[in-house]
Each structure stands twice: as structure tokens, then as C-alpha cells.
Amino acid sequence: MKKRSFILLVGAIVVATAAGFITRSSWMGGSSNAQGPQRPRMVSVELAKAERKSVPVDVDANGIVTPISSVALKSRLETTIVAVHFEDGARVNEGDLLFTLDSRQIDAQIEQAEGVLAKDQAQLEGAQRDLRRYNDLVGKGATTQVNVDNARTQSDILTGTIKADQAALDNLKVQKSYTTIRAPFAGRISAANVKVGNFVRPADVAPLAVINQMAPVYVTFAVPQRVLVDLRESMTKGVSSVTATIPGRQNSETGKVAMVENTVDATTGMVTVRGIMSNQSETLWPGTLVSTKLIIRTEDAIVVPTVAVQRSQSGNFVFVVKDGVARIQPVSVDRTSQGISVISEGLSGGESVVVDGQLLLSDGTRVEPRAKKAGA
């Protein structure tokens, strides 16, 4: 009886399991049919607009700051330094007194020349009186014409002597002016290489100090010869400009092109360009290496973020999204600068292009836009 009961129990369990499986299969099938056909796959992408705007045609290069004027101050006399009137590295203005040299010897020579001049002037006055007297006497027949001629000759000789004396005095006064050294232009002066009491002379190799003009300044750099024609045309129209930036800093100065070298370096194919910057705040220091941007002109063009441009064996293309569908659009890229690509063919402006998520796309893929990433 026990064996028979066990067999009946096992049979009941098997029947119940089979019935449950059949019921589940029917329910699953019915549910699948209720859902209908599956929706196409959607890809989340980030979009940007193709814009038409004014963009610069520019060339990046490395340059160096050079002063427009730089003078090494030297003594024109053999004498000693009496006074130094500036602080090392100070800013000086045109005409500021910088050095005073010992002038006692020249002062004595000037006094001597003044004495010689005064003596010769007195002699000239005497000769002129004799000439007037002889002219009166010859009219009365009291003297000869020879005496008149001799008096006139003596007067002329003394006149020439006085001119020579005056020239010698003027030369000494010029020499005296060399005993005070003044700034020939406004700028910044270097450290003084001499101090009070040092003996200086014109043959010295080292200058007393050096003054560099700080505002304005030149920025010299080289550009490829292919931009030379466009650059010269823009200079004629007055639309070119130069921006110089100190590497690692936001400080920059903007100016204009002052000069283009008259020859192209045959070994490098580069031509030297010089820009002039106002530099009123002395941002650019002579000798500083800077990053320069030569803006030749500006022009209207279609631009997209460079990350939107994809490359394939057939050329460049972008994914253009319209009505939620991404389509491949071949484009021609004219140039790329600072994360922006200028499109010469393929876009007309206003299109939505994919800038992130292109790896999951193909022609005709349905997409949905998403917000830009933080910090993008």
C-alpha cells in the first residue's frame, strides 16, 4: 500500500509540473505578441550648430621682443665720474640727467679761451681806430696811403683771429657739455657699470649703462612665404594686425605690421615680419620670447567644432542630424584653428552636427540629443 501511494504521489507531481509549464509558455507567448515589433535603437549624442560668422585668417609663430631704440652710454672725455643720478633699472624720461663727469679741466680751458678772445677783441678795436684815423689823415694829406692799407690789413687779420678764438671757445663748450650725460629718449635704464670716482675714457669697451625704449617695442617673427602675397595686400588695406602673448600667461599686446623683410630665406622658405606694439604697460620686455598671431584678414565662413569632423578613406565628413536621424555629410575643411574648423564645401550654416557620440553612429541612425558635458 505504501509503495502504491508513493507512485501515485510522484505521478501527481509530474502532471502538475507539466500543466504549469504549458500554462507559462502560453502566457509568455501571449505577452510577447502583445508588445508588438521592437523600436529601433536610439543613440544619445551631443549636438552643435554649424555657424556662419566672421573668422580671422591667421598664422601662428614664435617671436622675440626687440626695442625700437637701444643706446649704450659712453664717455666722450677722459675724466672721472662725479655723480650718478639714477637708480639701477629705473624708468627714465628724455633729458633726465644720468651722469655728471669732472669738468674742472675744461672749465679752466674755457676761461683761458675767453681771455684770448677778449685780448684779440681789444686789439681789433685798436686796429679799427687806427684805420679810421689814417683815413682822416690821408684826406688831409698828412699821411700816406701805405699807412691806411697797413691799418686795414691789421684790422682784417684781427677779425679772422677773433673768429678762430670764438670757434675754439665754442669747441670747449661742446666738450663741457659732454660732462653731463642725459637720457636721449624715454625708456628703462640698466644697472650702472661705473660708480662715483671711477675713471672713464672713450676707448672703454663696457658702456656706462644701457637704455632700452620700452614703449613702443618691436616683435620680430617669421612666417611661411605662401602668406606673403596675402600679407602685403592686407598691409595695403590696413587690415592686418599682430598679437603677442607671453607663453603661460594671459598677458598680451596687439599692434600692427611695421615691416616685412625684403627677401625670403632660401634655406627655410620663411620671411621675417616685424610688428610694432604700443606696450604702454610694459607687458613685453626686450628679449622675451613670445607666441605671436599674425591676423592677415577676416572673412565670413561656415565653422563647426573640429571634433565634429570625421575622417574616412573617401575624405572628411560630419554627421548632420535632421528629424532625429543622423546622416553622413561629406565636407571640405579649409583650415583649423583653436578648436574650430572652417568648412568651404558641404554645409550652408544652421545645420545640427554631432560633436560627441559618433562612434555609435552610421548613416540613418536615429539619435536623441543630450546636454553638454560639464566643463565642455
Side-chain angles (χ1 to χ4, degrees):
M1 289 295 293
K2 291 182 178 181
K3 184 176 180 180
R4 183 179 179 183
S5 298
F6 178 75
I7 293 173
L8 291 175
L9 179 60
V10 172
I13 293 173
V14 171
V15 172
T17 302
F21 180 78
I22 294 172
T23 304
R24 180 177 180 275
S25 298
S26 300
W27 177 80
M28 288 286 289
S31 176
S32 177
N33 292 333
Q35 289 182 354
Q38 294 183 353
R39 298 176 60 188
R41 179 172 60 96
M42 298 283 288
V43 178
S44 177
V45 295
E46 184 177 325
L47 302 178
K49 286 287 187 180
E51 299 178 319
R52 176 179 291 275
K53 64 179 183 179
S54 179
V55 293
V57 178
D58 52 29
V59 179
D60 294 328
N62 293 324
I64 186 170
V65 181
T66 56
I68 293 179
S69 298
S70 179
V71 62
L73 302 175
K74 287 192 174 184
S75 172
R76 303 182 68 172
L77 302 172
E78 290 191 2
T79 183
T80 57
I81 300 294
V82 174
V84 179
H85 302 279
F86 64 90
E87 295 181 359
D88 293 345
R91 182 173 180 82
V92 296
N93 297 316
E94 182 179 356
D96 285 355
L97 181 61
L98 304 177
F99 294 97
T100 300
L101 310 182
D102 187 4
S103 63
R104 290 174 296 176
Q105 181 178 1
I106 294 180
D107 289 338
Q109 293 174 349
I110 289 175
E111 291 181 0
Q112 182 182 9
E114 289 174 344
V116 172
L117 177 61
K119 181 191 71 172
D120 291 339
Q121 285 176 338
Q123 290 180 349
L124 175 61
E125 291 176 0
Q128 289 175 342
R129 285 194 302 268
D130 291 342
L131 178 60
R132 289 193 296 271
R133 185 182 308 113
Y134 283 128
N135 283 328
D136 292 339
L137 292 175
V138 75
K140 299 176 181 179
T143 188
T144 62
Q145 185 64 37
V146 174
N147 289 334
V148 175
D149 293 340
N150 290 339
R152 182 177 289 108
T153 300
Q154 186 63 26
S155 176
D156 293 341
I157 290 174
L158 289 173
T159 300
T161 302
I162 288 175
K163 288 184 178 180
D165 293 342
Q166 186 64 52
L169 179 60
D170 292 341
N171 179 60
L172 289 172
K173 288 181 179 180
V174 172
Q175 298 294 317
K176 172 67 180 296
S177 68
Y178 296 155
T179 61
T180 56
I181 299 177
R182 299 180 179 273
F185 51 80
R188 194 168 290 276
I189 195 167
S190 68
N193 294 324
V194 293
K195 302 301 179 183
V196 174
N198 289 147
F199 180 77
V200 293
R201 56 182 182 175
D204 290 340
V205 176
L208 307 181
V210 176
I211 300 178
N212 287 331
Q213 183 177 349
M214 302 297 293
V217 294
Y218 285 139
V219 174
T220 305
F221 55 96
V223 297
Q225 63 180 7
R226 59 180 172 80
V227 304
L228 183 57
V229 175
D230 289 341
L231 175 58
R232 293 184 60 192
E233 291 179 355
S234 66
M235 290 177 63
T236 303
K237 298 176 181 178
V239 296
S240 61
S241 64
V242 180
T243 300
T245 306
I246 300 175
R249 301 280 184 177
Q250 297 299 322
N251 305 45
S252 63
E253 287 284 340
T254 301
K256 63 180 182 180
V257 178
M259 184 273 293
V260 177
E261 190 57 74
N262 59 0
T263 56
V264 176
D265 190 337
T267 59
T268 62
M270 307 291 281
V271 60
T272 301
V273 178
R274 179 181 290 170
I276 185 170
M277 312 288 179
S278 61
N279 200 36
Q280 293 297 328
S281 60
E282 295 187 359
T283 301
L284 306 178
W285 210 256
T288 303
L289 296 175
V290 294
S291 299
T292 63
K293 181 180 291 295
L294 171 63
I295 299 177
I296 299 176
R297 65 179 183 276
T298 58
E299 59 185 16
D300 289 335
I302 305 298
V303 297
V304 297
T306 301
V307 293
V309 180
Q310 305 296 301
R311 292 168 180 82
S312 66
Q313 294 180 349
S314 58
N316 296 322
F317 68 92
V318 296
F319 282 103
V320 176
V321 176
K322 185 176 181 181
D323 298 330
V325 178
R327 297 293 182 183
I328 293 178
Q329 176 61 50
V331 294
S332 296
V333 179
D334 185 41
R335 62 185 183 276
T336 299
S337 176
Q338 297 182 344
I340 294 177
S341 294
V342 177
I343 307 300
S344 58
E345 294 180 3
L347 298 176
S348 58
E351 296 92 343
S352 296
V353 296
V354 179
V355 295
D356 187 46
Q358 296 96 323
L359 295 178
L360 301 177
L361 299 181
S362 61
D363 192 32
T365 302
R366 296 192 62 83
V367 297
E368 58 180 357
R370 66 167 182 262
K372 292 185 178 180
K373 297 179 180 178

